[in-house]
Amino acid sequence: MIFYFTGTGNSAYIASFLATQTQESLLSIFDAWKKHQWTYTLRPDERLGFVFPVYAWGPPALLMECIRKLTIIGNEHPYCYLVCTCGDDCGCTRHIFQKALYEKGWDLASGFSVTMPNTYVCLPGFDIDDPQTTQQKLKALPQRLTSIVHTLLKREHGFDVYPGKFPRMKSYVLRPLFNRFLVTDRPFHTNKACNGCSLCERICPMGNIQVIQGTPHWKGQCTGCLRCYHKCPHHAIEFGKQTKKKGQYSGPPST
Ligand SMILES: Cc1cc2nc3c(=O)[nH]c(=O)nc-3n(C[C@H](O)[C@H](O)[C@H](O)COP(=O)(O)O)c2cc1C
């Protein structure tokens, strides 16, 4: 069973690949959240996987909340693993997640990071990758995924999560500040290019956008995934003044 969280499709792409290779089922964290469904039955031999993007050098805050609510029956000690996707580096993501699972009584057996095209654009100096970097990252993907699948199928133990420089400072000092002040939908608004098509309302994984008389309104339940920003066909969504002249990421190749 693989629980996945995705904003712009990178993690969904990988989760879906792993589900096919391991022949295990795929469950969206957002679906669980919307349905308030927190109890799941694992087959006795089934692995328990979590695939998610790194947000500010840690797992997304909403995912952490969901982990606390989750109840798994059928196997008290499953083989647990994480695969996190990142643009650059993960800080202490692995340790933060491992601790959360430990508190549930689950041991994290293995963990991997996968470098994917970057999606964060809401601070100065942060933008999507240039085409060459995007291509390089996607070119390295098949080999990385093959090696991860190999480990999972053999149920091996071990970690290969890239922390980057100053991981503790990023995850334990900057991350709480990010979650406190920057996971907010208040700065979102539309520019003149918005034609009120309502795609943002339909695709927001939290159901957090409502289009009223042709104008999107954000309702205060945002995870900061930026799906609305990146998928807008008119590049009409802005986050304060930070996203002016920033690019949009169209998602991994097959989505
Ligand atoms: C709010 C937010 C915070 C992010 N923080 C980080 C980070 O700390 N380190 C990193 O390498 N990438 C970071 N990224 C980039 C994403 O982790 C990366 O692009 C990921 O593959 C996106 O996955 P998704 O398409 O499944 O949403 C961030 C992206 C967003 C939207």
Side-chain angles (χ1 to χ4, degrees):
M1 184 175 291
I2 301 175
F3 288 93
Y4 75 98
F5 178 115
T6 196
T8 45
N10 288 345
S11 310
Y13 177 87
I14 287 169
S16 157
F17 180 86
L18 296 180
T20 307
Q21 297 295 317
T22 58
Q23 300 189 325
E24 287 174 347
S25 52
L26 198 54
L27 291 157
S28 158
I29 282 287
F30 289 117
D31 285 348
W33 177 264
K34 279 186 212 151
K35 293 180 197 155
H36 303 284
Q37 191 183 337
W38 299 116
T39 304
Y40 295 86
T41 308
L42 212 57
R43 291 193 316 264
D45 61 337
E46 205 175 358
R47 287 163 281 251
L48 180 59
F50 298 90
V51 183
F52 57 86
V54 172
Y55 282 179
W57 305 287
L62 180 87
L63 175 65
M64 296 299 278
E65 213 176 315
C66 294
I67 296 295
R68 283 189 283 274
K69 292 174 191 277
L70 203 57
T71 300
I72 299 288
I73 49 179
N75 183 353
E76 272 186 34
H77 302 290
Y79 175 91
C80 288
Y81 66 92
L82 76 79
V83 178
C84 58
T85 72
C86 64
D88 299 296
D89 53 15
C90 309
C92 301
T93 298
R94 169 207 155 179
H95 295 101
I96 295 169
F97 199 74
Q98 192 164 18
K99 183 166 175 274
L101 290 196
Y102 184 76
E103 283 164 9
K104 307 280 302 181
W106 301 325
D107 263 336
L108 192 62
S110 62
F112 316 86
S113 56
V114 182
T115 310
M116 292 294 283
N118 188 36
T119 57
Y120 190 67
V121 290
C122 299
L123 279 173
F126 288 81
D127 202 347
I128 60 163
D129 295 320
D130 59 62
Q132 202 188 344
T133 309
T134 302
Q135 221 174 18
Q136 274 169 7
K137 288 179 175 179
L138 294 177
K139 201 173 158 206
L141 195 54
Q143 201 183 344
R144 181 70 175 146
L145 292 182
T146 303
S147 131
I148 293 172
V149 167
H150 183 83
T151 307
L152 298 183
L153 291 179
K154 291 185 143 189
R155 296 171 192 261
E156 286 172 351
H157 287 236
F159 294 91
D160 182 12
V161 180
Y162 178 60
K165 284 184 184 162
F166 312 115
R168 294 183 67 81
M169 197 264 286
K170 287 171 173 169
S171 296
Y172 298 117
V173 179
L174 299 182
R175 177 171 180 260
L177 293 171
F178 181 92
N179 285 341
R180 172 79 180 79
F181 297 108
L182 288 171
V183 183
T184 168
D185 57 14
R186 263 176 271 151
F188 279 120
H189 62 278
T190 48
N191 60 33
K192 283 184 199 154
C194 178
N195 69 354
C197 74
S198 299
L199 181 69
C200 52
E201 179 179 301
R202 293 196 297 279
I203 63 172
C204 173
M206 294 293 284
N208 184 45
I209 302 176
Q210 192 177 2
V211 176
I212 303 169
Q213 293 179 340
T215 304
H217 292 264
W218 283 259
K219 301 189 285 186
Q221 275 243 311
C222 183
T223 57
C225 76
L226 296 179
R227 190 182 295 183
C228 58
Y229 169 83
H230 287 290
K231 303 288 180 196
C232 173
H234 310 288
H235 203 163
I237 293 177
E238 306 279 7
F239 187 83
K241 291 180 183 168
Q242 299 299 340
T243 45
K244 282 211 168 96
K245 298 188 185 150
K246 300 275 177 83
Q248 284 178 299
Y249 172 55
S250 56
S254 67
T255 58

